Amino acid sequence: MGENGDTEIIEHHVDEEMEKKRILRSHGSSFMESVTPSERDGHSSTQSSHRLLAYSDALISIIATVMILPVAHTKVQDNEELKESLQVLLTTKIAVYLMTFLIVTVAWAAHIRLFQVIERIDDCLALLNLACMMLITFLPYTFSLMATFPENILGILLFCACVMVLGFIQAVIVVYGFSRPFLLNDQIQVSENQVFYKHHILKVIMRVPIMCFFASIFSFIFFQISYVILAIVIFLPYISQSLKWCRSKAIGQVEETPDSMMFYTYHPNEPLSKERVEAFSDGVFAIVATLLILDICEDNVPDPVMVQKQYGGSLVAALQNYGPEYLAYFGSFATVALLWFVHHSLFLHVTRTTRFMGLLNTFSLAFVGGLPLAYQLTHEFPRNSRNELEAIQISCVIIFFAGVFQLAIWVAALFSERETLHPYVRYGGREHAFMLAKLALYPCVALGTFFLTCILSKFSASIFHLMEITVPFAFLLLRLLVRGGLALLRLIFCPDGPETRSALEEEEEEEARMPFNTMIT
Amino acid sequence: MGENGDTEIIEHHVDEEMEKKRILRSHGSSFMESVTPSERDGHSSTQSSHRLLAYSDALISIIATVMILPVAHTKVQDNEELKESLQVLLTTKIAVYLMTFLIVTVAWAAHIRLFQVIERIDDCLALLNLACMMLITFLPYTFSLMATFPENILGILLFCACVMVLGFIQAVIVVYGFSRPFLLNDQIQVSENQVFYKHHILKVIMRVPIMCFFASIFSFIFFQISYVILAIVIFLPYISQSLKWCRSKAIGQVEETPDSMMFYTYHPNEPLSKERVEAFSDGVFAIVATLLILDICEDNVPDPVMVQKQYGGSLVAALQNYGPEYLAYFGSFATVALLWFVHHSLFLHVTRTTRFMGLLNTFSLAFVGGLPLAYQLTHEFPRNSRNELEAIQISCVIIFFAGVFQLAIWVAALFSERETLHPYVRYGGREHAFMLAKLALYPCVALGTFFLTCILSKFSASIFHLMEITVPFAFLLLRLLVRGGLALLRLIFCPDGPETRSALEEEEEEEARMPFNTMIT
């Protein structure tokens, strides 16, 4: 079995190398094209789209996360219970945050799909794309208006206008791209029915703006319908997919979409660019990690006059007031950084991202975005108050969900592990147990802390801080811990001898026995 | 000459292709290593450092830019003159912003150099790097303290403590990296005097922490000296370089540093990773472009009660108050996006970045960071007031410098164009004139607007808005304009015939005459 597994791994390596080379070659050629005179009318010079997409990812991830700031800046008075003020928060601002996050990621997914078709750009496309970005960054504001004035149609109209203009620009990009076929994906470039592709893509792109057009018309008649239509827009891909599935079940497999159409099928297994999912996640993690220092730099530098008056000129005494806030900063930074670390470890072994994994990733990131808020709450209340306990428990819940959705990405990947995962982290792979431990650490710790604070509510703050301090060290020592745990399990369940071992342990053992020089060759 | 130039271009292409392939192969091998069992003691698994560096770039660029927020949020009263309030701004907050930007970019350059030596990472290095990031993101706060309480030594002590811990972690990273040579740069990996490299690198890294140690000791005795030492720390590379230059002039060329030492020579021509310069710039442009929408979403959603009372429930009337702020948002977004576009066009043709180009890029980015502030000021004052005029002129100055430093990057690159630039944008290259026009557009427009507002101070706002609207279209039509301009120049200066044309025009003409199919092959 070991022999068999090894050949398979090697084969997979070869496949990956080929794949890598193919990608590199296409990059290389796009680079070549960026410098060879591949222009037809002397009006444009072709470039690789890599950096444009990285910049777009950065912009979109910042915009998606930024709406947590109005939530975080809502002042919670200590004399009122957290629950009451939470209701105010929950109704509008958190709803705005989550809706913004969802709609922005929908726009982002559309952007990915568009630039999977158009792989090279020129100056004109770059400028059009920047116009798109400007409209996308304006979307959160229209949501704020909708949430604050739900009965006024101005918010809906503004939102629909933005989306319609966005759709129009995207359509222009598609038409422009198809008029210069050397900008297109190689697969489409060589295909014979380009016109068919063009119409199909335009049809898919124009779907959302047309629905928004109807939403804006309905808003004059009966504005509640508009909200329903907008909700449909967000879940359109999933609805259309399930409708298609029902139809195929009812009347059998109707049509097989051509191979290069897979970017526009809305199938949950449709590939998303792994590179861009990583770039987007990096952007969210980076802005979330720095949100608190942003506030600290602005608000927590004491006023010199105040220091002179209240503390007799002692800066240390004045700064001691802000102690909890520094703790909140380091705590939230460490948590976000470690969640990024887990995400990074996971995606290192992911070979291909599907739409469904992207969706789970979005959910995870939405919770990550809530972390600074939770940490800030944790340190805003006096010790042992009821509010403090609730704030700590909310933090635990947020960490738990952020971690669980990361775990869910892996589980979703395991269901089609041949396409999506590296052999090492598949069932029975060498790193399988280690990856599981890495992904499960945060959810388990958060859950444990949550229940501990329920039981020992007096020591909730100490437990929480202890958790903050121990988790980074747990990550450092995780590999040793996993090895120890596996050895322990082996001792307990099969103390007889090596013949009853499971395949997983056998492989691990084998790897340990193998001398180093054979590993290198 | 044309023939000669062509061969040269082709050779250069081949070189680049080889270079590209070499990079790709090393990437490929690092990817292979991330999945082959290249670990020596089963304690760590090697990974490509690409994503870790991208995340670090995002974090550092956000932190570098974020200190503009306290400046932007300083309320300028309209009854006082802008000049007076500007003095308050200038003395502390802008100084803090610029110092933070400089020190953070110094830390970033050190980070680049470190990870040019250590090219592959494992879990342990990733966690150590995240600890570094946490300390770097805390630096701006210590600067705020220093600026607010210049005579209190607490700020200095905090800063020095951060830098010393940073240096210690970096030293640990170096020692860890050299104890596992498969993590190192290939060049060092195969070299025979690794121990010498290790000591040299450690010596360079520990220089800054040791100076900070002295600064913290001096702060107890005579704190002004500490500031001098800290200033030396920032300019240390340039000072040491000029000292070395003086010595070499005095006693002749003393020593030739080994080839792979070039990452730690502090020579102005030392290569900086072009990829990372781009990633850092993207981060700064992205956060700057979104800073204003951040404020708008938080502050510019009117209160429902206020709307009911003051405007009789008319949301449109209430929003009209905020009109200028939307304009400021779109104006600053467009300017930042177009400056990004110019930067992107420039770096598309840069093949190698030197330290000096990186420094000019930093200056350009520091001015870009000031843009949102300038635009916000522009729209905060009543029409035709003296303050408005000054705000508009400050905006023009900031745009001018941001653009001029971009132009300076190109000029600096032209001085060693063989190594740093693509043949197309070198002197006499096909895209030379076009690139010059792209880079010169913003400085020229800003300068023109500045002088126009001086003369026609009554129409300053209209002139400024007109500039905002026309510049994007100018970029769209730039290629046509350049062609027209060149044709015009040709008509004026050499109307006789084709025999007196300059080489540049000749080449351009030749390209235009070449049929399309020969270009493809």
Side-chain angles (χ1 to χ4, degrees):
Chain A
M1 187 255 135
E3 184 59 40
N4 206 352
D6 264 8
T7 1
E8 185 193 306
I9 287 175
I10 289 163
E11 257 170 40
H12 196 88
H13 278 184
V14 173
D15 280 4
E16 264 163 17
E17 274 297 274
M18 299 276 280
E19 176 74 1
K20 210 79 197 170
K21 270 189 198 138
R22 199 188 58 71
I23 291 167
L24 298 181
R25 211 178 307 131
S26 80
H27 270 254
S29 74
S30 75
F31 182 80
M32 276 302 285
E33 262 169 45
S34 84
V35 293
T36 42
S38 69
E39 34 189 277
R40 212 159 264 192
D41 47 7
H43 190 71
S44 55
S45 73
T46 326
Q47 310 149 3
S48 152
S49 63
H50 175 75
R51 196 177 158 198
L52 183 81
L53 301 182
Y55 183 60
S56 308
D57 288 341
L59 277 178
I60 297 177
S61 58
I62 291 173
I63 281 303
T65 325
V66 136
M67 290 308 291
I68 197 69
L69 272 188
V71 189
H73 287 176
T74 309
K75 283 279 160 271
V76 182
Q77 299 298 321
D78 195 47
N79 47 7
E80 47 183 329
E81 285 284 293
L82 184 55
K83 267 187 185 157
E84 270 175 54
S85 55
L86 257 186
Q87 279 174 353
V88 182
L89 278 176
L90 278 174
T91 41
T92 55
K93 293 191 173 177
I94 291 183
V96 171
Y97 166 66
L98 288 177
M99 271 178 81
T100 308
F101 206 97
L102 274 179
I103 199 86
V104 168
T105 46
V106 166
W108 172 70
H111 191 264
I112 291 185
R113 238 179 278 119
L114 183 60
F115 282 90
Q116 275 174 338
V117 171
I118 296 173
E119 283 190 343
R120 288 170 274 286
I121 58 162
D122 59 12
D123 285 4
C124 194
L125 281 184
L127 291 172
L128 284 173
N129 180 61
L130 289 176
C132 274
M133 288 300 123
M134 189 193 268
L135 286 166
I136 290 178
T137 54
F138 197 66
L139 287 181
Y141 183 68
T142 64
F143 265 109
S144 305
L145 278 184
M146 274 194 243
T148 327
F149 301 92
E151 308 210 342
N152 196 311
I153 60 166
L154 191 71
I156 304 174
L157 288 181
L158 262 181
F159 175 80
C160 292
C162 274
V163 173
M164 282 190 285
V165 177
L166 253 178
F168 176 72
I169 297 178
Q170 288 192 333
V172 169
I173 290 176
V174 169
V175 171
Y176 185 90
F178 274 89
S179 76
R180 285 164 177 71
F182 50 88
L183 298 173
L184 296 177
N185 181 348
D186 292 335
Q187 240 174 327
I188 296 179
Q189 209 168 327
V190 297
S191 108
E192 280 171 11
N193 41 358
Q194 275 188 15
V195 180
F196 172 70
Y197 285 142
K198 182 171 145 185
H199 287 163
H200 175 76
I201 292 167
L202 279 179
K203 223 166 59 191
V204 173
I205 284 178
M206 293 314 289
R207 224 186 274 174
V208 172
I210 287 171
M211 288 189 71
C212 281
F213 178 69
F214 283 114
S216 61
I217 287 177
F218 274 114
S219 68
F220 289 104
I221 306 163
F222 193 62
F223 69 86
Q224 284 86 342
I225 293 183
S226 306
Y227 285 112
V228 176
I229 297 179
L230 293 187
I232 293 176
V233 166
I234 297 180
F235 297 103
L236 185 67
Y238 307 99
I239 295 169
S240 85
Q241 187 53 36
S242 45
L243 281 180
K244 223 177 254 172
W245 186 81
C246 291
R247 205 180 53 184
S248 78
K249 284 284 149 185
I251 49 172
Q253 200 68 31
V254 207
E255 42 171 353
E256 194 65 46
T257 50
D259 199 38
S260 56
M261 284 309 250
M262 62 183 176
F263 306 130
Y264 274 86
T265 53
Y266 286 110
H267 194 274
N269 277 334
E270 181 189 319
L272 278 185
S273 158
K274 183 195 160 202
E275 207 178 50
R276 295 200 60 188
V277 172
E278 287 182 355
F280 180 75
S281 310
D282 282 352
V284 171
F285 280 113
I287 188 89
V288 167
T290 42
L291 272 181
L292 274 188
I293 198 73
L294 226 143
D295 284 341
I296 285 182
C297 284
E298 201 166 342
D299 305 329
N300 292 10
V301 178
D303 189 40
V305 183
M306 195 266 287
V307 171
Q308 201 57 47
K309 252 197 252 167
Q310 287 191 1
Y311 302 96
S314 163
L315 184 58
V316 180
L319 287 183
Q320 268 166 2
N321 273 350
Y322 300 129
E325 263 136 88
Y326 305 141
L327 222 76
Y329 169 64
F330 287 118
S332 92
F333 191 100
T335 312
V336 173
L338 290 173
L339 282 170
W340 175 84
F341 174 69
V342 173
H343 191 271
H344 167 247
S345 304
L346 174 62
F347 273 78
L348 208 64
H349 290 103
V350 166
T351 50
R352 189 160 154 277
T353 329
T354 62
R355 260 185 85 80
F356 185 61
M357 284 160 73
L359 187 72
L360 290 173
N361 189 41
T362 303
F363 287 146
S364 169
L365 292 178
F367 280 101
V368 168
L371 264 180
L373 162 75
Y375 270 85
Q376 203 165 26
L377 283 181
T378 315
H379 298 271
E380 235 170 36
F381 303 107
R383 275 290 161 104
N384 293 326
S385 69
R386 196 171 160 64
N387 281 342
E388 193 200 29
L389 177 64
E390 280 180 5
I392 286 175
Q393 290 181 343
I394 291 173
S395 301
C396 290
V397 169
I398 291 182
I399 296 174
F400 174 75
F401 277 108
V404 154
F405 276 113
Q406 287 189 334
L407 187 60
I409 298 174
W410 191 49
V411 173
L414 280 174
F415 275 107
S416 52
E417 55 178 17
R418 295 248 150 229
E419 289 97 55
T420 55
L421 281 184
H422 197 271
Y424 276 6
V425 292
R426 292 188 197 161
Y427 282 122
R430 201 165 61 85
E431 299 267 316
H432 184 86
F434 183 55
M435 182 55 72
L436 179 67
K438 248 185 194 171
L439 285 165
L441 183 59
Y442 253 117
C444 291
V445 168
L447 211 65
T449 314
F450 183 83
F451 285 118
L452 262 182
T453 50
C454 287
I455 303 165
L456 305 165
S457 55
K458 273 215 167 170
F459 307 101
S460 59
S462 324
I463 294 171
F464 191 69
H465 294 321
L466 197 72
M467 187 269 272
E468 278 176 18
I469 295 164
T470 48
V471 167
F473 292 101
F475 270 106
L476 265 177
L477 303 173
L478 196 60
R479 202 173 274 270
L480 289 180
L481 292 179
V482 171
R483 254 161 212 277
L486 281 179
L488 204 72
L489 281 178
R490 210 174 294 156
L491 262 180
I492 297 169
F493 289 109
C494 36
D496 311 336
E499 64 277 10
T500 51
R501 283 180 197 164
S502 74
L504 171 86
E505 285 154 7
E506 204 163 83
E507 200 162 346
E508 179 142 324
E509 273 293 287
E510 192 183 328
E511 184 262 313
R513 264 180 282 131
M514 222 187 291
F516 183 66
N517 49 359
T518 63
M519 281 187 235
I520 287 294
T521 51
Chain B
M1 187 251 133
E3 184 58 42
N4 205 351
D6 266 9
T7 1
E8 183 196 305
I9 287 175
I10 288 163
E11 256 170 39
H12 195 89
H13 278 184
V14 172
D15 279 6
E16 261 163 20
E17 274 296 273
M18 298 276 281
E19 177 72 1
K20 210 80 196 169
K21 268 188 198 139
R22 199 189 57 74
I23 292 167
L24 298 179
R25 209 177 310 130
S26 80
H27 269 254
S29 75
S30 75
F31 181 82
M32 275 302 284
E33 260 169 47
S34 86
V35 295
T36 43
S38 70
E39 36 190 275
R40 212 158 264 193
D41 48 7
H43 190 71
S44 55
S45 72
T46 326
Q47 309 150 5
S48 152
S49 62
H50 175 74
R51 199 180 156 196
L52 181 81
L53 300 182
Y55 183 60
S56 307
D57 288 343
L59 277 177
I60 296 177
S61 58
I62 291 173
I63 281 302
T65 326
V66 137
M67 290 307 292
I68 196 69
L69 272 188
V71 189
H73 287 177
T74 309
K75 282 281 158 273
V76 183
Q77 298 300 321
D78 195 45
N79 46 8
E80 48 184 328
E81 285 284 294
L82 184 53
K83 267 186 187 159
E84 272 176 54
S85 52
L86 254 187
Q87 279 173 352
V88 182
L89 277 176
L90 276 173
T91 42
T92 56
K93 293 192 174 177
I94 291 182
V96 171
Y97 166 65
L98 287 178
M99 271 177 79
T100 308
F101 205 97
L102 274 179
I103 199 87
V104 169
T105 46
V106 167
W108 172 71
H111 190 265
I112 292 185
R113 242 180 273 119
L114 183 62
F115 282 91
Q116 273 174 338
V117 171
I118 296 172
E119 282 190 343
R120 289 170 274 287
I121 57 162
D122 59 11
D123 285 3
C124 194
L125 281 184
L127 290 172
L128 284 174
N129 180 62
L130 290 176
C132 274
M133 286 302 122
M134 189 192 266
L135 286 166
I136 290 178
T137 54
F138 196 67
L139 287 181
Y141 182 69
T142 65
F143 265 110
S144 306
L145 277 185
M146 273 194 244
T148 325
F149 301 92
E151 308 209 339
N152 197 309
I153 61 166
L154 190 71
I156 303 175
L157 288 181
L158 263 180
F159 175 80
C160 290
C162 275
V163 173
M164 283 190 284
V165 178
L166 254 177
F168 176 72
I169 298 179
Q170 287 192 334
V172 169
I173 290 177
V174 169
V175 172
Y176 184 90
F178 273 89
S179 76
R180 284 165 177 69
F182 50 88
L183 297 174
L184 296 177
N185 182 348
D186 293 334
Q187 240 173 327
I188 296 179
Q189 208 168 328
V190 297
S191 110
E192 281 170 11
N193 42 357
Q194 273 188 16
V195 180
F196 173 69
Y197 285 143
K198 182 172 147 185
H199 288 162
H200 176 76
I201 292 168
L202 277 179
K203 221 165 63 190
V204 173
I205 284 178
M206 293 314 288
R207 222 186 274 173
V208 172
I210 286 170
M211 289 190 72
C212 282
F213 178 69
F214 284 114
S216 61
I217 286 176
F218 274 113
S219 69
F220 289 105
I221 306 162
F222 191 64
F223 70 86
Q224 282 88 340
I225 292 184
S226 307
Y227 284 111
V228 175
I229 297 179
L230 293 186
I232 293 176
V233 166
I234 297 180
F235 296 104
L236 186 68
Y238 306 100
I239 294 169
S240 85
Q241 186 53 36
S242 45
L243 281 181
K244 223 177 258 172
W245 187 80
C246 290
R247 206 179 53 181
S248 78
K249 283 283 149 185
I251 49 173
Q253 199 68 33
V254 207
E255 40 168 356
E256 194 63 47
T257 49
D259 199 39
S260 56
M261 284 305 252
M262 63 183 175
F263 305 132
Y264 273 86
T265 53
Y266 285 112
H267 195 274
N269 277 334
E270 180 191 318
L272 279 184
S273 158
K274 184 194 159 199
E275 208 177 48
R276 293 199 62 188
V277 173
E278 287 182 354
F280 179 74
S281 311
D282 282 352
V284 171
F285 280 113
I287 188 88
V288 167
T290 43
L291 272 181
L292 274 188
I293 198 74
L294 225 143
D295 285 341
I296 286 181
C297 283
E298 201 166 342
D299 304 331
N300 292 8
V301 178
D303 188 42
V305 183
M306 195 266 288
V307 170
Q308 200 58 46
K309 251 196 251 168
Q310 287 191 359
Y311 301 95
S314 163
L315 184 59
V316 179
L319 287 182
Q320 266 166 2
N321 274 349
Y322 300 129
E325 264 137 87
Y326 305 140
L327 221 75
Y329 169 64
F330 286 117
S332 92
F333 190 99
T335 311
V336 173
L338 289 173
L339 282 170
W340 175 85
F341 174 69
V342 173
H343 191 272
H344 166 248
S345 304
L346 174 61
F347 273 78
L348 208 65
H349 290 101
V350 166
T351 50
R352 188 160 155 276
T353 329
T354 62
R355 259 184 86 78
F356 184 61
M357 283 161 74
L359 186 74
L360 291 173
N361 188 41
T362 304
F363 288 146
S364 169
L365 291 178
F367 280 101
V368 168
L371 265 179
L373 160 75
Y375 270 85
Q376 204 165 25
L377 283 180
T378 315
H379 299 270
E380 235 168 36
F381 303 107
R383 274 292 163 104
N384 292 327
S385 69
R386 197 169 159 65
N387 281 344
E388 194 200 29
L389 177 63
E390 281 179 4
I392 286 175
Q393 290 181 341
I394 291 173
S395 303
C396 289
V397 170
I398 291 181
I399 297 174
F400 174 75
F401 277 109
V404 154
F405 277 114
Q406 289 189 333
L407 188 59
I409 299 174
W410 190 49
V411 174
L414 280 175
F415 275 107
S416 52
E417 57 179 16
R418 295 247 150 229
E419 289 99 54
T420 54
L421 281 183
H422 196 270
Y424 276 4
V425 292
R426 293 188 196 160
Y427 283 123
R430 202 166 60 86
E431 298 267 315
H432 184 85
F434 183 55
M435 181 55 73
L436 178 67
K438 249 186 194 171
L439 285 165
L441 183 58
Y442 254 116
C444 291
V445 168
L447 211 64
T449 314
F450 183 84
F451 286 118
L452 261 182
T453 51
C454 286
I455 303 164
L456 306 165
S457 55
K458 273 216 164 169
F459 308 101
S460 60
S462 326
I463 294 170
F464 192 68
H465 295 320
L466 197 71
M467 187 268 272
E468 279 176 16
I469 296 165
T470 48
V471 168
F473 292 101
F475 271 105
L476 264 177
L477 303 174
L478 196 59
R479 201 172 276 269
L480 290 181
L481 292 179
V482 171
R483 253 162 213 275
L486 281 179
L488 205 70
L489 280 178
R490 209 174 294 155
L491 262 179
I492 296 168
F493 290 109
C494 35
D496 310 336
E499 63 275 10
T500 50
R501 280 183 201 160
S502 74
L504 171 86
E505 284 153 9
E506 206 164 81
E507 200 164 343
E508 177 141 324
E509 273 292 285
E510 193 184 324
E511 184 263 311
R513 264 181 279 128
M514 224 188 286
F516 184 67
N517 48 359
T518 64
M519 283 189 237
I520 288 294
T521 52

